[in-house]
Amino acid sequence: MVSGERLKELAEKAYRIRRHVLEMTTAAGSGHPGGSLSCVDVITALYFHVMHHDPKNPSLPDRDRFVLSKGHAAPTLYAALAECGYFPVEELKNLRKFGSILQGHPDKNRVPGVENSSGSLGNGLAIANGMALAAKIDGRPYRVYALLGDGECQEGLIWEAAMFAAHYKIDNLTAIVDRNGLQIDGPTERVMSVEPFADKWRSFGWHVIEVDGHDIPAIIGACEEAKRVRGRPTVIIAHLIKGRGVSFMEWVAGFHGKTLSPKDLEKALAELDAWYEGLAA
Amino acid sequence: MSTAMKSTRDAYGECLVELSADPRIVVLDADTSVSTRTNKFAAKCPDRFFNVGCAEQNLVATAAGFAYAGKTAIATAYAIFATGRPWEQIRNFVAHDKLNVKIIVTHAGLTNGPDGASHHSLEDIAALRVIPNMTIIVPADAEEAKQAIRAAVEHPGPCYIRLSRAESPVIFGPSYKFELGKGVVLRDGRDLAIIATGNMVAKALEAAEILEKKGINARVINISTIKPIDREIVLNAARETGAVVTAEEHNAIGGFGGAVAEVLGAGQPVPVEFVGVRDRFGQTGETEELYETYGLTAEKIVEASKRVLSRKRG
């Protein structure tokens, strides 16, 4: 069970990360706010509760690994890492600026705490498999968490990796799919159907958990369940809302790759503030 | 040069067994382990061998994952499939993040003759040479292959090693010392320099014999590390002989000859002739038949040498 106190802290972190995502993408004038907002609660749960890691020692040998496969959610990862203390929060305003460590998509060579570069879709699950098997070979206790987009699951390599993970019984791996249902060109089911999604993973030999991915205790519970599963990998299909937290951004595919104007940013931040004050009250 | 023959893939299998005690190493293959000889490692070290099945993108991306976690990951398949299909995984992860992934391929060039064009690899050097951080090695024989593999394992970062299915003449004895990034003068000469790589090195030596009988004194240089290339040995050859012929089992566009020409063009422009496949696909045939058809022979190197000499004098 997660304490009420801890849940309050997590809600505050999620709120702060959402604010960062909006501010930094608007300042940058480009980026992917929609798919960054959708996975804020998942990334918050991982970095501030589920994963074993140490911001003061990013190369801690037994740290849990987080693989952001949907690299366009970089703003959320950067904001979470900054909130953890991997680098100063002030750096966030330099997102996508020339010379910044915060490249448009994550660059392992530049950002403390980023485990792998990404941005090219479909690769994270295979990378996570390699990391997880390395832990098994070396008898290390760490787990690997991979966050995938749902549109990304149209890539063939995702299913090559899904087959591989089940074949090699990689049970120290938890994949989480951001099932927000929208990709750049529209709803996934109109662009290229991924349904029946959970059945696909089951038929590939995975333990499947479906949750409301904005429910932080539910995400944490699913991650705990995954730790108990032996002999096969687990996928958490996190049902999420693109643009979550800002009424006029939710469910809008257009905000996949479009940022807010300064004026809309003010409205959006006011909404977030009101939501957070409501929680705190 | 002895008359003994050995394939570089057989050398690879033996080398993997010798390296198997190294706990850093994991080996991955894409359902080609019998042909590539990684099955030797699999038999010795089943816990550190992973067959990914017919899935070359997964081969490279999983190897990248191992490397992110600190392993030295060797990814193997036929040259065309291990470079063509996962090119983007090689670029965006292996090379960009300077990972300890060694892509060691077999069946390169025309050495997988009877399988035909789909299984030949005449474009891989060009395709990988343009990727930053890549080291590219094409060994000339079995001994050099073994030493290059050992050097690659000790060298931090991505390496591509291109091996053959076909047997080729043994050039080097065990006293040979391979050095990453260094070419070797195998035969001195003053009229022109034949700079060759891989299976063309033995043919270059043959060509030099033929030329000697015609009174032409050719220097023969083996360059196995195509990237980073040994600029010094290339520039010295141009300065001292004034004419260069390159020879490779690859498209004459963009590969080894291109790498040599880039060095020469910028540093010591001299006439250059390129022996390689003339921008064509292969076809079914025994490797030697294909070498004849596609112009990868000692005779073609001799002809190119005469052409380059006429340009030098002209």
Side-chain angles (χ1 to χ4, degrees):
Chain A
M1 275 300 284
V2 190
S3 71
E5 198 54 35
R6 171 53 69 92
L7 285 178
K8 263 192 197 163
E9 288 167 21
L10 292 173
E12 191 206 343
K13 285 295 179 194
Y15 156 72
R16 292 174 61 87
I17 291 170
R18 281 198 165 84
R19 280 193 63 109
H20 289 317
V21 165
L22 291 171
E23 286 173 331
M24 65 204 282
T25 52
T26 294
S30 67
H32 301 81
S36 295
L37 289 176
S38 64
C39 60
V40 166
D41 301 302
V42 168
I43 287 183
T44 300
L46 290 173
Y47 273 93
F48 297 94
H49 186 82
V50 174
M51 291 201 311
H52 170 61
H53 66 117
D54 179 4
K56 290 190 190 67
N57 183 9
S59 51
L60 183 76
D62 286 342
R63 71 192 183 280
D64 289 332
R65 266 70 167 174
F66 176 71
V67 174
L68 182 67
S69 190
K70 48 171 287 185
H72 52 281
T76 307
L77 175 60
Y78 294 156
L81 290 172
E83 284 289 332
C84 285
Y86 281 92
F87 54 85
V89 168
E90 296 76 63
E91 186 61 35
L92 294 176
K93 67 179 186 300
N94 295 325
L95 172 73
R96 288 178 172 249
K97 300 259 165 61
F98 179 75
S100 170
I101 61 168
L102 304 181
Q103 302 284 298
H105 292 85
D107 182 340
K108 175 191 167 53
N109 306 307
R110 297 174 199 257
V111 192
V114 167
E115 297 286 355
N116 62 288
S117 294
S118 60
S120 160
L121 294 175
N123 296 286
L125 193 57
I127 287 168
N129 282 338
M131 290 180 178
L133 280 176
K136 282 182 176 277
I137 289 173
D138 291 342
R140 291 195 177 278
Y142 67 79
R143 289 188 71 81
V144 183
Y145 295 87
L147 180 62
L148 282 53
D150 50 2
E152 178 182 19
C153 291
Q154 293 154 354
E155 294 274 5
L157 176 49
I158 291 291
W159 302 100
E160 293 180 10
M163 212 183 298
F164 181 95
H167 180 87
Y168 284 104
K169 303 181 168 51
I170 307 180
D171 53 13
N172 55 343
L173 166 71
T174 303
I176 303 169
V177 182
D178 178 339
R179 182 78 180 108
N180 64 56
L182 294 174
Q183 56 192 119
I184 305 182
D185 276 355
T188 57
E189 297 317 284
R190 203 158 69 212
V191 176
M192 180 49 62
S193 320
V194 298
E195 292 293 343
F197 197 56
D199 289 347
K200 284 192 171 76
W201 289 96
R202 272 187 212 104
S203 72
F204 272 71
W206 286 60
H207 177 66
V208 179
I209 306 170
E210 293 202 68
V211 293
D212 169 357
H214 296 302
D215 181 344
I216 287 180
I219 282 283
I220 291 171
C223 289
E224 291 300 323
E225 180 181 325
K227 284 186 193 170
R228 295 190 296 269
V229 174
R230 293 277 175 271
R232 57 190 173 139
T234 295
V235 59
I236 299 170
I237 300 175
H239 292 278
L240 296 167
I241 298 168
K242 199 157 211 160
R244 170 72 171 196
V246 179
S247 61
F248 57 90
M249 293 177 80
E250 290 188 359
W251 305 107
V252 181
F255 282 111
H256 177 98
K258 195 181 75 181
T259 55
L260 293 180
S261 66
K263 204 172 138 215
D264 284 341
L265 174 66
E266 268 182 48
K267 275 198 270 178
L269 292 178
E271 274 196 28
L272 283 180
D273 291 349
W275 171 81
Y276 181 63
E277 280 157 23
L279 272 188
Chain B
M1 197 164 79
S2 75
T3 52
M5 302 283 282
K6 185 171 181 174
S7 72
T8 48
R9 68 167 164 166
D10 283 332
Y12 176 40
E14 290 166 15
C15 190
L16 278 180
V17 171
E18 291 161 18
L19 288 168
S20 62
D22 185 340
R24 296 171 300 174
I25 293 176
V26 295
V27 176
L28 299 92
D29 199 308
D31 195 34
T32 49
S33 67
V34 176
S35 309
T36 63
R37 311 297 193 235
T38 61
N39 63 341
K40 309 280 185 210
F41 182 90
K44 189 97 179 162
C45 269
D47 295 346
R48 282 185 281 121
F49 176 79
F50 300 92
N51 201 329
V52 304
C54 307
E56 292 78 12
Q57 294 178 37
N58 203 27
L59 173 79
V60 173
T62 309
F66 274 111
Y68 281 121
K71 293 291 175 194
T72 299
I74 299 180
T76 293
Y78 289 5
I80 181 63
F81 306 122
T83 58
R85 197 177 301 223
W87 184 88
E88 201 234 293
Q89 282 74 30
I90 296 171
R91 176 192 183 270
N92 275 329
F93 302 97
V94 173
H96 183 274
D97 287 353
K98 306 185 189 92
L99 298 179
N100 252 329
V101 173
K102 316 300 169 184
I103 299 164
I104 304 184
V105 303
T106 64
H107 297 59
L110 296 167
T111 64
N112 192 13
D115 272 347
S118 63
H119 283 56
H120 298 160
S121 187
L122 298 168
E123 307 82 6
D124 51 310
I125 296 172
L128 297 192
R129 201 163 72 78
V130 290
I131 302 178
N133 300 333
M134 280 304 295
T135 292
I136 299 178
I137 309 173
V138 185
D141 81 343
E143 177 62 31
E144 189 170 54
K146 274 194 181 185
Q147 293 193 32
I149 292 160
R150 287 179 171 280
V153 164
E154 294 308 323
H155 177 77
C159 291
Y160 176 62
I161 301 185
R162 185 186 203 243
L163 306 177
S164 295
R165 169 180 173 270
E167 292 192 332
S168 58
V170 169
I171 297 172
F172 298 110
S175 62
Y176 173 67
K177 290 277 174 286
F178 168 83
E179 208 180 325
L180 193 73
K182 291 281 180 212
V184 188
V185 176
L186 296 180
R187 178 184 175 118
D188 210 0
R190 61 182 181 279
D191 296 333
L192 79 152
I194 304 169
I195 309 182
T197 194
N199 291 333
M200 296 306 287
V201 173
K203 294 176 194 297
L205 287 168
E206 234 181 282
E209 287 288 330
I210 300 169
L211 288 165
E212 194 66 50
K213 291 188 185 113
K214 298 177 195 291
I216 299 168
N217 184 221
R219 180 179 299 187
V220 177
I221 297 169
N222 166 35
I223 289 189
S224 46
T225 310
I226 294 181
K227 191 181 179 186
I229 197 162
D230 184 345
R231 299 173 55 82
E232 202 184 328
I233 206 167
V234 171
L235 292 172
N236 283 344
R239 211 173 286 124
E240 289 161 18
T241 71
V244 168
V245 171
T246 65
E248 67 196 293
E249 186 181 356
H250 183 273
N251 195 329
I253 296 174
F256 173 66
V260 171
E262 285 159 18
V263 173
L264 293 175
Q268 186 75 30
V270 295
V272 189
E273 291 285 331
F274 304 93
V275 174
V277 175
R278 314 309 301 182
D279 203 19
R280 293 163 69 193
F281 286 108
Q283 61 183 300
T284 291
E286 290 306 323
T287 299
E288 285 300 329
E289 286 177 310
L290 297 176
Y291 284 163
E292 289 286 335
T293 307
Y294 290 90
L296 307 184
T297 60
E299 292 69 32
K300 290 290 177 190
I301 297 174
V302 169
E303 286 171 26
S305 300
K306 289 180 183 165
R307 280 199 308 275
V308 87
L309 282 175
S310 71
R311 289 172 59 201
K312 176 183 167 184
R313 283 159 190 157

